[in-house]
Amino acid sequence: MATAQEISYDDLELSGYNELLPVIPPEIEHNCIACSPTNPYGIKMRFFGNKAKGEIISRLILKKNYCGFPNFTHGGIITLILDELMAHLLYLLYGRYGVTKSIKVEFLRPVLIGKPFYVRAVLAKPMETELTPDGISEVEVKSSIHAGLNEMGKICASAQASMVILPDERFELLWKSQQ
């Protein structure tokens, strides 16, 4: 069964999308269930962004250990995937990760285990205030999961979230707490 690492992104790279790798200090154990390439239980998401278009994309095929009802991806895993992509969109656009303040998810169709799906995130609306190095900024982001390998597939789930972009020193404190 394919993993996120085995799906082709060649078409995106040819269209001006670049892979966005998680930026984690080397002394920190990167064990994120969504994006760590070394977490044995993780999803191992990959992210391809186009800053000019203001969007980030991932493609996945999930294994049966992520199911809820037989052959359906668990709703919590769907929410995790939508949320993770929105956080990485903020890194792509602003150079800093966001954390979720609130999220609303709509489950429209099953996301099938063993079948490819496409995930996309964009800003729901532009940030109202300027991002400052020492301030906390809030931004509205949205994401969606489509059946298949592109946005032409039927929408299976969508989310809108209020994300908080923390100042760099707050993230440094988070990193230090992990040491």
Side-chain angles (χ1 to χ4, degrees), residues 46-102:
R46 293 176 66 189
F47 310 97
F48 286 78
N50 185 314
K51 192 170 184 176
K53 290 183 178 182
E55 69 180 359
I56 192 163
I57 293 167
S58 187
R59 293 177 175 156
L60 298 152
I61 298 174
L62 293 179
K63 297 178 182 181
K64 65 182 177 181
N65 52 321
Y66 299 110
C67 75
F69 197 76
N71 296 319
F72 291 4
T73 303
H74 190 283
I77 299 297
I78 292 169
T79 303
L80 168 81
I81 290 166
L82 293 165
D83 180 68
E84 187 75 7
L85 202 67
M86 290 187 283
H88 279 80
L89 173 70
L90 298 182
Y91 188 81
L92 171 72
L93 298 178
Y94 304 115
R96 295 190 351 221
Y97 286 107
V99 294
T100 306
K101 179 178 178 182
S102 65

Side-chain angles (χ1 to χ4, degrees), residues 2 17 35 48 51 78 99-100 106-107 116 119 132 140 143 147 177:
Y17 289 78
C35 68
F48 286 78
K51 192 170 184 176
I78 292 169
V99 294
T100 306
E106 291 190 51
F107 302 97
V119 192
T132 61
E140 297 296 317
S143 58
S177 72

Side-chain angles (χ1 to χ4, degrees), residues 19-24 30 35-37 45 47 84 88 91 97:
E19 186 162 16
L20 182 69
L21 299 172
V23 179
I24 309 295
H30 181 215
C35 68
S36 171
M45 290 178 72
F47 310 97
E84 187 75 7
H88 279 80
Y91 188 81
Y97 286 107

Side-chain angles (χ1 to χ4, degrees), residues 132-174:
T132 61
D134 57 348
I136 294 176
S137 300
E138 195 169 315
V139 64
E140 297 296 317
V141 187
K142 62 183 179 179
S143 58
S144 56
I145 292 178
H146 302 254
L149 293 174
N150 59 47
E151 69 278 1
M152 301 306 288
K154 291 183 178 181
I155 296 176
C156 299
S158 64
Q160 184 148 343
S162 179
M163 308 280 293
V164 176
I165 303 173
L166 297 175
D168 291 338
E169 63 271 4
R170 292 280 291 275
F171 268 104
E172 287 176 21
L173 289 173
L174 291 172

Side-chain angles (χ1 to χ4, degrees), residues 10 32 129:
D10 293 345
C32 176
T129 60

